[in-house]
Amino acid sequence: MSFPVSYIIFFFTLILGTIISISSPSLFGAWVGLELNMMSFIPLITIKMNSYYSESALKYFLIQALSSALFISSSLLSFTFLLISFILIFLALLLKLGSAPFHFWFPQVMEGLNWPQVFILSTIQKLAPMILLSYLMINNTLIKITLISSMASALFGALGGLNTMYLRKMIAFSSINHLSWMLIAISLSDIFWMFYFLIYSLILLSITSSLFSMQAFTLSSIAQLGTYSTFNSLLMSSTFLSLGGLPPFTGFIPKWFMIQIMMNMNLFVPLAILILSSLLTLYFYLRVVIMFIILSNPVMNFYLKYDSRSHNYSLPLKMFFNFLGVLLPVYLFLI
């Protein structure tokens, strides 16, 4: 995945905004970092002059501007109404993250992006708001709001992806579902959510980089790419299953940690909702997996035209991380 050289400055200011936001000792400094981060991402969306990119950039700007206005205005209340101020700041950060019940904008923006921007929006753009959320985990009221938002994100993320044929929308609802696990982890400990975030980012990187090289955006576009080797189809299928958290792939390891921790904390109701939602997400991942399995059989493939994009020799290197759970099942020793 690559961008034009002229946009390196926007990558630099994007990372700089995140660093300023998470290292600032004041709410105003955190707001400045978030604004710099937002204004750096918008030019990366509109690299190509396209109506879809422009629409996504406009939607992203309006939502982020609304959440930033709520953030800075709520911080002024901290001098008199500290708890109310923290609650409003918390809601503004949830809006920035695209967490339920403020998730409505996330799939719509994601649908108009290219795969590199999809990865940035799902990972780097969520880093600063989640770290700021972890700073606010000092009150039982905020922890309860976190649990409610995480359960809602799990349900909306699982149900929203059931009826879509667009891969970017599928990844968007998957990101909302994974965000529910990370919100629970934020309320428990910083180490847990950072570990989950790292594993999720690496898995998503392997998926988005592969789909970007294929230029596949829908299930039908996957079918039109040409014949797939059985080995490459197996790799792509295992990666989507790893993203869904199916054992024994790598994506199951952070979920297994969270299951054990939530059971020790007696969070049985949120755990049941998160597990059931993960099963629903596996359903719409299986539709992609079945597509790759069918196309690996030349008899079932109606598009017999050769296409070099379907023979991606860098695919094993990209997908190797997803098999670490198979090769090194360290979670079995934690039972």
Side-chain angles (χ1 to χ4, degrees):
M1 292 188 293
S2 60
F3 287 99
V5 179
S6 59
Y7 284 85
I8 294 179
I9 184 65
F10 293 114
F11 275 116
F12 175 75
T13 54
L14 185 83
I15 303 299
L16 181 63
T18 300
I19 295 174
I20 291 174
S21 182
I22 64 181
S23 61
S24 175
S26 64
L27 291 174
F28 179 76
W31 173 77
V32 170
L34 292 174
E35 287 295 292
L36 179 61
N37 182 269
M38 175 192 71
M39 298 305 294
S40 301
F41 183 58
I42 291 176
L44 296 179
I45 298 177
T46 56
I47 283 181
K48 295 180 180 179
M49 296 307 295
N50 186 294
S51 59
Y52 294 106
Y53 295 159
S54 301
E55 182 182 354
S56 294
L58 181 59
K59 289 179 180 178
Y60 180 78
F61 172 75
L62 292 175
I63 293 297
Q64 296 297 315
L66 175 62
S67 60
S68 296
L70 180 60
F71 184 93
I72 192 62
S73 60
S74 302
S75 63
L76 299 177
L77 296 175
S78 60
F79 297 104
T80 53
F81 306 102
L82 187 61
L83 180 59
I84 296 176
S85 174
F86 280 175
I87 292 175
L88 293 176
I89 291 173
F90 192 87
L91 296 178
L93 292 174
L94 290 182
L95 179 59
K96 276 188 171 294
L97 284 171
S99 175
F102 311 110
H103 66 285
F104 54 90
W105 65 272
F106 195 76
Q108 298 180 21
V109 171
M110 190 81 83
E111 194 176 6
L113 302 180
N114 205 350
W115 286 115
Q117 293 94 329
V118 166
F119 173 75
I120 294 174
L121 182 59
S122 300
T123 55
I124 300 175
Q125 293 301 97
K126 291 187 177 183
L127 186 59
M130 283 197 291
I131 293 178
L132 293 177
L133 281 179
S134 66
Y135 294 161
L136 295 175
M137 292 292 113
I138 56 176
N139 187 280
N140 290 330
T141 303
L142 297 178
I143 293 177
K144 291 178 181 178
I145 295 175
T146 305
L147 293 177
I148 294 172
S149 178
S150 65
M151 289 186 287
S153 298
L155 293 175
F156 285 118
L159 296 175
L162 292 177
N163 198 29
T164 179
M165 303 294 290
Y166 298 96
L167 293 175
R168 286 170 294 186
K169 256 191 173 180
M170 197 177 296
I171 295 297
F173 285 109
S174 169
S175 179
I176 296 172
N177 182 265
H178 281 282
L179 183 61
S180 65
W181 292 86
M182 285 184 272
L183 286 176
I184 293 285
I186 286 174
S187 64
L188 299 177
S189 175
D190 290 338
I191 297 177
F192 299 143
W193 81 261
M194 287 182 179
F195 175 70
Y196 195 109
F197 181 80
L198 177 63
I199 299 294
Y200 169 72
S201 299
L202 292 175
I203 296 174
L204 188 64
L205 177 62
S206 63
I207 291 178
T208 52
S209 59
S210 301
L211 294 176
F212 178 68
S213 62
M214 298 175 187
Q215 285 298 302
F217 298 102
T218 62
L219 292 179
S220 60
S221 63
I222 292 177
Q224 295 171 4
L225 285 178
T227 55
Y228 284 82
S229 67
T230 304
F231 181 67
N232 285 350
S233 298
L234 177 63
L235 288 178
M236 288 298 298
S237 302
S238 63
T239 305
F240 277 95
L241 294 178
S242 178
L243 185 63
L246 184 71
F249 297 108
T250 306
F252 177 67
I253 297 178
K255 287 190 176 181
W256 179 244
F257 286 157
M258 289 303 303
I259 289 171
Q260 286 189 321
I261 294 165
M262 292 176 70
M263 290 183 65
N264 293 333
M265 298 292 292
N266 295 324
L267 298 173
F268 297 112
V269 175
L271 178 59
I273 294 176
L274 263 61
I275 292 177
L276 290 175
S277 67
S278 296
L279 292 177
L280 290 175
T281 57
L282 279 173
Y283 172 76
F284 58 79
Y285 290 139
L286 282 175
R287 288 190 298 173
V288 184
V289 171
I290 290 172
M291 178 69 72
F292 279 109
I293 293 175
I294 291 176
L295 292 178
S296 65
N297 186 355
V299 177
M300 298 296 295
N301 190 358
F302 297 99
Y303 300 93
L304 298 178
K305 184 177 66 173
Y306 176 81
D307 193 333
S308 60
R309 292 177 298 176
S310 63
H311 299 273
N312 192 348
Y313 298 105
S314 65
L315 205 59
L317 182 62
K318 296 176 182 178
M319 303 301 176
F320 174 76
F321 176 77
N322 300 284
F323 291 93
L324 290 181
V326 181
L327 301 176
L328 301 173
V330 293
Y331 51 87
L332 293 179
F333 299 100
L334 301 176
I335 299 178

